[in-house]
Amino acid sequence: MLPRPERIDSGNPEAMSAPQRARFAALLLAATPFAVAPFLTTSSVAAQDAAAAQDPAGSQDQAELFRRLQARQQDLVDARIGLIQPVSINGVELSPDQIRREAVFLVGAKTVEAKIAEFFVAEQLEIAVDEEGKDPKEFEISDEEVVSGVRDAIKQFQQQNPGIEFWEAVRAQYGMDKDQFLFQRKQTVLFDKLFFPGAASNWPEITREAIMASAQGGDGKAFWENLLKASVDEQGNPRELPAFWMQLCRGWVQKQLKQWSDIRYPSDGLEAEYCLAVNDRKLETQTAFNEIKSGLFVQDLERAVTEVVVREALRQELAKNGAYLSDEEFRAEFNEYRAQYDGTPFNTEVIATAFKGYPSLEAFRQRWRLIRSFERMIEQDINDDNLQAHANEFGSFFADGQVNVDVIQIFGRNVKTGAWEPNGMARAKERADAAMAAIENEQPFDEVMAEYGEYYNNDKEKGRMGSKSLNQLRQSLRESEFTDLLLGHSVGSYLYYEAEPGHVVGPLRGPDAYYVVRVNSRTPARSAVSVADERTRELVKQDYVNHRFLQWANEVLASAEIQ
């Protein structure tokens, strides 16, 4: 069970617990005095063009206004970024580069992956031009080729999401602005030209080897022969392969190129001024940050600062106890850990991002290092007696217990686009307080839910969550292993284990919303749990270590000195 979520007044540090004050001090360093201006998108350009067509005389004024708006938006971006300052944790100073780099991996994971592919493209382009003597003009990509590739996607998105701006959604979901998104699309087109030119018989040797090494079922040769046949028509002329096939081949090639390359991340000991190293090429932190900064929200910077501060405080404590894994130990142990997954469809990255809720594999690697180091520190406590006691206390989690809740959800984000609203969580807290006050004044819960509840269009439950297991409930609340440490608590765990049935509780702060919750009922464990079973023991052990880790982390942060 994680620490109970508190009703937090973010405007009053003295009202917070000690761990929360530590986080608040860190967040102040990234807070901005400016309200974030609306994101300028292609719809702004369209509006400008329409106005110019109706009033040619005023088109010059419209263009000047648009330029001024763009300049203002850039001023706001620069103001946010300029507030990143060095942070000191227990006398150890963290540089702005460490915060910038964290923002890259929390928000710009797609950018990092694209940069890896870009490095592969650069290497293959050198081979094609310098070694194979091909004309560089063969690999020039026109703007029309790039735009045509996304035109259908934009149209489909607008049909499925009327009233939502495509580029705003891209920014919210991927941390990219329009220019960056189109640049990455250009790199994809270039990747295909280099690794998949024409018929499969013309593809470079490295493509053939990668596909044969990756084909499912181990029969790569047969799959390759099918590709050779499918990529030409009856007359032997090249023809386009099905999109699914190309997506599959592209993924296989990128996967094998990664396996055949020496790729280093910050968790491998890279200096703070670098985000990434691929073979002999390095990506500078400032360069990567410049590529993502226009897509950042203030909340993204706050989260980056918090993550860096929390990790450093925990690292120091582990090092003081002689438990922190060295770079060499971490690399060896993590490679051993990932080996059990990377040969399956659910590889380590899928588990980290899709199942455990981390924003990137690197974010997971950083946390994994801390948790594994902590496990080593408490190794003597991991015995059958303690594990069985843990299984008994939290048996409902291991034996199909459930809780039935209805949730009034009040977002700090825009429910149409998913983008953070200016001062979104503070305003959500005000609305959540009003909802709770209405219930305390005896307005029926269902009426308050209809009045105050906020939900995404694709949220079928609309707060009526019914009976759920702990993991199902946490998923519905968008909680994860990643957010637990940043917040210091889990709303889902509190509702699942502690909140009293028949009562309304809240407001409770989650990762991106406040919740007012009616707890309807709780179903206990369906059977006793015994760690004598090897598989059950491993599950209990993982939960025991995570539970102890989060309790310990809150204690460490409570005493950390952050300046």
Side-chain angles (χ1 to χ4, degrees), residues 158-179:
Q158 291 173 338
Q159 289 174 344
Q160 295 175 350
N161 303 275
I164 302 177
E165 170 56 50
F166 177 80
W167 298 113
E168 174 73 4
V170 167
R171 181 194 181 200
Q173 295 299 316
Y174 302 112
M176 302 181 201
D177 63 13
K178 177 185 175 183
D179 290 340

Side-chain angles (χ1 to χ4, degrees), residues 199-215:
S201 58
N202 292 330
W203 293 358
E205 184 68 16
I206 194 169
T207 300
R208 185 183 72 84
E209 291 178 0
I211 289 174
M212 290 182 65
S214 301

Side-chain angles (χ1 to χ4, degrees), residues 32-43:
T32 174
F34 301 101
V36 181
F39 184 62
L40 295 174
T41 63
T42 50
S43 63

Side-chain angles (χ1 to χ4, degrees), residues 22 66 89 115-116 152 191 250 263 279 349 445 494 506 557:
F66 184 65
I89 298 93
K115 189 62 67 174
I116 294 174
D152 289 343
F191 186 93
R250 193 181 295 119
I263 301 178
N279 300 328
E349 186 167 6
F445 180 91
Y494 168 62
L557 291 168

Side-chain angles (χ1 to χ4, degrees), residues 323 371-383 386 544-546 548-549 552:
I371 296 171
R372 179 67 187 97
S373 298
F374 176 77
E375 181 180 347
R376 187 162 69 170
M377 188 172 75
I378 64 165
E379 192 169 9
Q380 290 185 344
D381 294 344
I382 304 175
N383 54 56
N386 286 338
Y544 174 76
V545 171
N546 286 337
R548 289 278 305 272
F549 174 75
W552 167 80

Side-chain angles (χ1 to χ4, degrees), residues 109-124 183-196 203-215 245-263 265 276 278-279 338 342 347 349 361:
K110 297 288 185 182
T111 298
V112 174
E113 287 301 306
K115 189 62 67 174
I116 294 174
E118 189 179 327
F119 285 165
F120 292 152
V121 163
E123 289 181 2
Q124 190 63 25
F183 174 78
Q184 291 194 8
R185 169 63 191 167
K186 185 174 184 177
Q187 289 299 306
T188 300
V189 176
L190 181 55
F191 186 93
D192 287 353
K193 282 196 174 187
L194 284 163
F195 290 95
F196 309 103
W203 293 358
E205 184 68 16
I206 194 169
T207 300
R208 185 183 72 84
E209 291 178 0
I211 289 174
M212 290 182 65
S214 301
W245 283 35
M246 282 304 302
Q247 183 179 358
L248 200 63
C249 291
R250 193 181 295 119
W252 284 347
V253 170
Q254 290 177 347
K255 173 187 172 184
Q256 289 302 133
L257 288 174
K258 285 183 180 180
Q259 291 185 1
W260 294 334
S261 300
D262 180 23
I263 301 178
Y265 297 94
L276 178 72
V278 180
N279 300 328
R338 70 181 303 169
D342 284 354
N347 61 32
E349 186 167 6
L361 178 60

